[in-house]
Amino acid sequence: MKKILLALFLMLGIVSFAALQLDTNKLQKKGYEITNQDEQVITLSRAGQGYVISPFYMSEIVGDSAKDISKMTIETAPESQKILSSYETGRAYIVKFKDTQNDAFSYTIVAKKQRVKGWYTGIIFIVNDELSKTELNKMADTLLNEAESLIKQ
């Protein structure tokens, strides 16, 4: 009996760990599309005049820490993405790239803290103009707030 209860609690823990739910009403209202959704990664996208915002939610299964996930964005970046800088704020790890093919700048922002246990929140932000560090830090906070607000709790 004890083994059955233990197995049940473990299974429930895994199910709750694996299930990240997004608020589909907010997604539609803010113009996001789900571009990828599986058990380990959920990616959204929204494009506007001169920018693309792509929030992503990554399971701990993919990376042990927010810092690891930030490093992964560097390691998996296409060859056309030239890394310009990488730094951290109190809230996030930020990597700045120059897209040599499209003459644009892309920024990856990964929140240090998990909003939902077992899931990291990040954003890929692509714009035509280079942002100063001050502008980028403000934008990172704004984008993380928005990405975290899409999570249903």
Side-chain angles (χ1 to χ4, degrees), residues 110-124:
V110 179
K112 288 181 175 181
K113 294 183 180 176
Q114 296 178 356
R115 173 89 191 262
V116 172
K117 184 176 171 51
W119 289 87
Y120 293 101
T121 302
I123 296 123
I124 298 171

Side-chain angles (χ1 to χ4, degrees), residues 23-91:
D23 187 331
T24 53
N25 291 330
K26 282 186 183 178
L27 290 176
Q28 289 176 343
K29 205 178 207 183
K30 295 186 181 225
Y32 284 104
E33 291 182 30
I34 297 173
T35 55
N36 179 52
Q37 184 171 10
D38 61 36
E39 293 154 0
Q40 298 174 2
V41 179
I42 300 171
T43 308
L44 310 175
S45 185
R46 180 179 84 196
Q49 190 72 20
Y51 73 89
V52 175
I53 300 170
S54 185
F56 61 87
Y57 307 91
M58 208 167 274
S59 165
E60 282 182 333
I61 295 169
V62 178
D64 292 332
S65 68
K67 192 171 195 169
D68 286 345
I69 291 171
S70 183
K71 286 179 185 177
M72 275 189 251
T73 64
I74 295 169
E75 295 165 359
T76 60
E79 285 186 30
S80 64
Q81 298 287 324
K82 179 184 171 197
I83 185 168
L84 299 179
S85 66
S86 175
Y87 66 96
E88 66 181 275
T89 66
R91 187 174 180 194

Side-chain angles (χ1 to χ4, degrees), residues 3-14:
K3 287 182 181 180
I4 293 171
L5 286 174
L6 178 61
L8 183 60
F9 281 116
L10 288 174
M11 287 177 12
L12 288 173
I14 290 169

Side-chain angles (χ1 to χ4, degrees), residues 9 18 47 105 139:
F9 281 116
F105 293 88
M139 185 59 75

